[in-house]
Amino acid sequence: MTGEKKIKSALISVYYKDQLDTIVKQLDALGVKIYSTGGTQEFIEKLGVKPIAVEDLTSYPSILGGRVKTLHPKVFGGILGRRDHAGDLSQMTQYAIPEIDLVIVDLYPFEETVSQTTDQSEIIEKIDIGGISLIRAAAKNYNDVLIISSRTQYADLIQILTQGNGHTSIEERKAFAMKAFGVSSHYDTAIFNYFNAESQIDVFKQSIHEASVLRYGENPHQKGVFYGNLNEMFEQLWGKEISYNNLLDLDAAVALIAEFNETSIAILKHNNACGLASRNKLSEAWKDALAGDPISAFGGVIISNAVIDKETALEMDKLFFEIVLAPGYEASALEILKQKKNRIILVQKNVSLPKKQFRTLLNGVIGQDKDLHMEFGPDMQAVTKKAPTSEEISDLEFANKLVKHSKSNTIVLAKGKQLLSSGVGQTSRVDALKHAIEKAHAFGFELKGCVMASDAFFPFPDCVEIAGNAGVTAVVQPGGSIKDKESIAYCDGHDIAMVFTGYRHFKH
């Protein structure tokens, strides 16, 4: 080991005590002098080990209700003192400051407290001062001091103490210093974002501890990482590792299915729905969702908002697909779906999702509120002489949910709460509509009596004319074009109902 240092003294002050007993006993066996305070000191004493109280070192008691315990030159001098610096050593001797070689400290659970209460006084008391200062001081002086800044590092410390017999290398100390600054920066970011939730200073500060290295990124030559805890979102019951592209599809699928309360199944490919249906019976929803585009469904991602039963699983198993996501599975259904070893089978958990979106762009980051607005029948203003029927209103709501979650420019054609076809990601709205009509005909759908949804207004009346000729009888769109009157006039002249919502749903 290079830059080897022997641990002769340690300061321990932690909130979480799990596995701490093993560490204390190892340090004691190695003859390490231990300094501690408060509840940690009591914990250590119960193990039969006699620590030196920090109060005895500093000659000051813990004051202000425990807010000030370790903030003292004899503590921080012992951590920050440079062992190869004659001036530092001289002053440490002059002021009777002992060297501290190991610091084990964690932080008050600020994020957990915020998630559990709105009591501001309780939240404020969980802002750690002494702990964060100790972490930064020990990490700064990693040349001489080893910092353990989280209970997740206890096992690593036990291994170091066992294998190194109380000695550490500069590489080990620097690695733990890096982790320590990661802990401190994450903690400060959480505190800032709590305060910034109301006053909103326009700065970008995000921090996520957990990370999963993916097989690769969007393409095999790109590296990929997911930052977050997928285990909070899903339980994986079967199949291979989830990929970068799988995650993009899962994100789109989860957002889409959240719009539907009726029993529904959606099939997605490249973040867009190629099939979706709502039915009283799940197997019927599957059959009608697949009918929307059985070609694109191959290799797709399936999401259901109902527990998947045996009947549905038998039909689904006839198709090759990458992922199925549902709130649960009947045991018999699960056995059927497990017959393909690489098929990813996930259970969706009930978690609160962020309400902000961010994307790297050029030399920075753009952010926005998520599009969480959805328009229903009462929000739809009839602008034509003919108002939509109750059945058409139901289908317009269905289509509008789909169009919100499809890549712009997009047109959705639906009937009987079934996606007949869609044109997505087109550079013109006319092309999107023509593509949707062509697909619907290719899969044998009769468009007479169907409805059309558009994610944005029609700049010209050509779309409603094409749609009317194809059989569309009701249209939902945001409205807002300077030529809205021309589209309305065409609809009035051809017995088509049209409603405006006042809300655009671009998705890029």
Side-chain angles (χ1 to χ4, degrees):
M1 293 193 297
T2 59
E4 183 178 299
K5 299 278 185 178
K6 179 173 176 56
I7 299 172
K8 293 173 287 186
S9 60
L11 170 64
I12 308 176
S13 180
V14 297
Y15 187 87
Y16 297 104
K17 312 294 192 297
D18 305 338
Q19 286 190 291
L20 186 61
D21 55 344
T22 302
I23 293 171
V24 169
K25 290 175 183 177
Q26 279 188 289
L27 292 174
D28 186 55
L30 291 167
V32 175
K33 184 182 295 183
I34 298 176
Y35 298 93
S36 192
T37 185
T40 306
Q41 179 185 340
E42 293 176 8
F43 177 85
I44 294 172
E45 289 173 343
K46 288 179 181 178
L47 297 173
V49 177
K50 183 62 177 175
I52 299 171
V54 169
E55 291 87 341
D56 292 339
L57 172 63
T58 63
S59 299
Y60 271 90
S62 174
I63 61 174
L64 306 182
R67 282 187 164 197
V68 180
K69 290 181 286 190
T70 57
L71 295 167
H72 193 279
K74 283 200 172 183
V75 175
F76 281 86
I79 295 170
L80 287 165
R82 292 163 288 185
R83 314 309 197 248
D84 58 356
H85 192 283
D88 285 5
L89 294 174
S90 175
Q91 286 188 319
M92 291 173 74
T93 301
Q94 179 183 355
Y95 294 107
I97 298 174
E99 294 180 1
I100 297 176
D101 308 311
L102 168 64
V103 174
I104 304 174
V105 62
D106 57 16
L107 301 171
Y108 292 156
F110 178 80
E111 289 180 281
E112 292 90 335
T113 304
V114 170
S115 69
Q116 294 168 4
T117 183
T118 57
D119 185 336
Q120 190 171 26
S121 63
E122 185 177 347
I123 291 170
I124 296 303
E125 286 307 309
K126 288 300 186 291
I127 297 177
D128 206 308
I129 303 300
I132 200 82
S133 302
L134 291 168
I135 286 173
R136 290 178 62 85
K140 177 177 179 176
N141 199 26
Y142 69 85
N143 192 60
D144 298 303
V145 180
L146 176 65
I147 172 64
I148 301 299
S149 54
S150 167
R151 58 178 167 167
T152 61
Q153 300 164 20
Y154 287 179
D156 295 328
L157 175 59
I158 292 170
Q159 185 176 1
I160 288 173
L161 293 174
T162 301
Q163 295 180 352
N165 197 34
H167 292 77
T168 64
S169 68
I170 185 66
E171 292 83 6
E172 289 170 336
R173 295 193 298 276
K174 187 173 183 179
F176 278 95
M178 177 182 66
K179 293 177 182 179
F181 285 121
V183 168
S184 65
S185 64
H186 177 85
Y187 195 76
D188 285 338
T189 297
I191 295 169
F192 169 79
N193 285 333
Y194 168 74
F195 281 96
N196 198 45
E198 295 181 5
S199 55
Q200 289 292 311
I201 301 172
D202 285 330
V203 295
F204 180 73
K205 288 185 182 292
Q206 294 292 317
S207 178
I208 302 174
H209 266 316
E210 301 90 348
S212 302
V213 177
L214 305 173
R215 295 198 305 270
Y216 50 79
E218 202 161 6
N219 299 291
H221 63 278
Q222 296 169 271
K223 293 181 180 179
V225 181
F226 174 78
Y227 296 100
N229 187 350
L230 284 175
N231 292 327
E232 292 180 354
M233 189 78 209
F234 309 119
E235 179 185 358
Q236 184 164 354
L237 303 179
W238 190 256
K240 61 184 180 180
E241 181 185 349
I242 298 173
S243 72
Y244 182 98
N245 291 329
N246 291 156
L247 289 172
L248 293 177
D249 281 329
L250 285 168
D251 180 65
V254 167
L256 173 61
I257 207 69
E259 303 282 4
F260 295 87
N261 294 320
E262 295 177 79
T263 299
S264 303
I265 286 186
I267 308 169
L268 287 88
K269 197 75 171 286
H270 295 292
N271 313 156
N272 293 299
C274 57
L276 196 153
S278 297
R279 296 289 182 264
N280 292 328
K281 191 176 180 182
L282 190 64
S283 59
E284 292 299 316
W286 164 252
K287 182 184 74 173
D288 289 341
L290 181 62
D293 188 344
I295 294 176
S296 295
F298 183 86
V301 170
I302 299 166
I303 187 166
S304 167
N305 63 1
V307 172
I308 293 181
D309 54 36
K310 180 179 180 179
E311 182 180 358
T312 306
L314 283 169
E315 293 302 314
M316 289 172 59
D317 193 52
K318 297 175 182 177
L319 175 75
F320 167 75
F321 58 90
E322 287 229 9
I323 301 177
V324 57
L325 174 61
Y329 304 83
E330 291 183 357
S332 55
L334 193 57
E335 289 307 308
I336 293 166
L337 296 173
K338 281 184 176 180
Q339 292 178 28
K340 305 294 191 297
K341 68 175 184 178
N342 288 328
R343 179 180 286 161
I344 298 170
I345 304 175
L346 302 174
V347 174
Q348 183 178 350
K349 298 180 181 179
N350 186 21
V351 296
S352 178
L353 297 176
K355 295 182 180 180
K356 296 280 187 180
Q357 291 176 314
F358 303 101
R359 182 186 296 186
T360 57
L361 184 147
L362 299 175
N363 63 339
V365 175
I366 54 173
Q368 66 171 355
D369 297 332
K370 272 188 179 179
D371 183 1
L372 299 176
H373 195 277
M374 179 43 59
E375 307 79 50
F376 299 94
D379 308 308
M380 297 178 176
Q381 177 191 359
V383 293
T384 50
K385 294 176 182 176
K386 179 184 178 183
T389 65
S390 59
E391 290 80 7
E392 287 172 334
I393 286 288
S394 179
D395 282 340
L396 289 171
E397 291 177 342
F398 178 91
N400 200 40
K401 293 174 183 177
L402 269 161
V403 88
K404 171 185 168 182
H405 293 277
S406 302
K407 189 75 72 176
S408 299
N409 288 307
T410 182
I411 292 289
V412 166
L413 302 178
K415 185 178 181 180
K417 296 184 180 179
Q418 178 187 17
L419 171 61
L420 304 184
S421 64
S422 61
V424 300
Q426 300 299 311
T427 52
S428 84
R429 203 156 299 283
V430 170
D431 286 343
L433 175 56
K434 288 180 177 178
H435 182 60
I437 292 170
E438 181 183 348
K439 281 189 67 176
H441 288 157
F443 294 118
F445 285 111
E446 169 57 62
L447 294 180
K448 186 176 182 181
C450 77
V451 305
M452 174 175 73
S454 174
D455 60 336
F457 64 62
F458 299 118
F460 304 101
D462 46 5
C463 278
V464 290
E465 181 178 351
I466 295 169
N469 290 334
V472 170
T473 56
V475 178
V476 57
Q477 59 139 317
S481 168
I482 59 173
K483 295 191 176 182
D484 277 344
K485 290 182 179 179
E486 294 182 24
S487 293
I488 294 170
Y490 182 87
C491 290
D492 281 339
H494 294 81
D495 202 32
I496 299 171
M498 184 160 64
V499 297
F500 286 179
T501 64
Y503 284 86
R504 187 181 72 186
H505 291 295
F506 270 165
K507 184 185 177 188
H508 294 105

